[in-house]
Amino acid sequence: MPSDAHVPAIAGDVVVTGAAGFIGSHLVKALRQSGRNVVGVDRRDMGVHTGAVPAPEEGAFQARTGDLATMDLSSCLKGVDLVFHLAALPGVRPSWTEFPEYLHCNVLATQRLLDACVQAGVGRVVVASSSSVYGGADGAMDEGMLPRPTSPYGVTKLAAERLALAFAARPDAALSVAALRFFTVYGPGQRPDMFVSRMIRAVLRGEPVEVYGDGSQIRDFVYVEDVVRALLLAGAPARHPDDRAEVLNVGTGSSVSLNRLLSLTAELTGRRPDARYGPTRVGDVGATTADVSRARDRLGFRPATDLRTGLAAQIEWTRRRTDGPRRPRTAPGTATTGRRA
Ligand code: NAD
Ligand code: UGA
């Protein structure tokens, strides 16, 4: 689990939606390592957690497999005070052609979960939002900016975020909400459709790396353990009435281009990436950089992993999976969609 003296102890059982996913599986691991009992909800298989060898301090894990938009949620939420809602259909590019599925997973499922949380008297919901709600911007993106998403995915994430805030504002709800706008998350177990995963896999196999555009687009890449720490910090009950409905960026505050990432990967692997440049994808923003001052001030969040260290960890993780004997899925985030972007 990410070490941080300021990460609050979280009491009681915790629900994590999207527990079989990249970020969700890291979060489940951190919560269990801190002794929390976790109920993981996902429509994909979560055997990866239930089969884990328990360390003495580990909390229990209960897997509930189902679709949030249709499954019975009341039994998952009974006696639960804190929900981390990470389940969604992520990925910017396929959202142009698969919109009904994005609506189902990102909007309908979120509305249903929030409604069930109000009925169950859940105290706090932390929702995974996205930098994609901003659209393009010239400088750092701050939470006061008018969101102008440039992809259907971004529109559904904005809808999910606003739904959460609307539920928190209901006078009959005991609910407080933190919507965390993650920037581009990377690290061991990263979704296989994302650039860093694809680049590392291709370089290690000696295959070409497909770059959409000229590689000058920049991203604020944030390491998954830092994101988990932000989630844990946000899981603490709201301290102040103003904190009942918060939107907070989770990034690093600095960004690099894909071309810089390719050079760094060359340095770390000793292999020169064979970059093949092609057309820019519709809806892709040119630049993302997080203004992280609000998360720092409100949560005490400070990203701890620099890009070189994080990238080296993801390279090493990929190498072990590529070189090692074929094993059943055992590492965080190995349950992945494999969808094409
Ligand atoms: P992921 O695809 O690895 O995990 C999402 C999980 O949600 C999957 O296991 C999926 O099966 C589950 N899910 C989707 N729809 C569901 C439904 N209807 N019912 C039950 N389970 C469902 O994605 P991730 O990269 O771990 O992203 C987690 C969250 O963070 C998402 O909300 C995503 O939009 C957000 N986010 C991710 C990034 C990033 O860079 N990875 C950046 C910004 C925001
Ligand atoms: C990522 C996640 O996929 C979204 O879930 C998340 O919401 C979003 O971050 C966010 O920041 O909010 P994206 O930045 O598009 O979206 O991340 P990648 O899919 O890794 O793409 C990064 C860049 O690499 C994009 O410019 C993309 O066009 C490019 N790319 C991607 C390639 O050049 N080649 C590829 O094979 C894949």
Side-chain angles (χ1 to χ4, degrees), residues 17-24 41-44 66-69 71 85-91 104-106 109 128-131 153 157 180-186 190-191 194 335-337:
T17 75
F22 163 43
I23 302 169
V41 185
D42 204 296
R43 60 180 184 173
R44 287 192 294 172
D67 185 327
L68 285 170
M71 71 193 286
H85 177 42
L86 272 60
L89 199 54
H104 177 92
C105 295
N106 300 359
S129 186
S130 161
S131 71
Y153 166 71
K157 293 304 287 184
L180 304 187
R181 291 179 176 170
F182 303 155
F183 282 61
T184 305
V185 188
Y186 74 104
Q190 193 197 38
R191 296 195 331 261
M194 296 183 71
T336 42
T337 57

Side-chain angles (χ1 to χ4, degrees), residues 87-134:
L89 199 54
V92 174
R93 293 165 294 278
S95 66
W96 295 103
T97 51
E98 296 169 31
F99 192 61
E101 191 59 6
Y102 278 79
L103 266 182
H104 177 92
C105 295
N106 300 359
V107 183
L108 187 57
T110 300
Q111 182 275 336
R112 210 168 165 266
L113 175 72
L114 289 162
D115 196 39
C117 285
V118 171
Q119 304 306 325
V122 171
R124 186 144 178 93
V125 179
V126 181
V127 176
S129 186
S130 161
S131 71
S132 61
V133 305
Y134 287 111

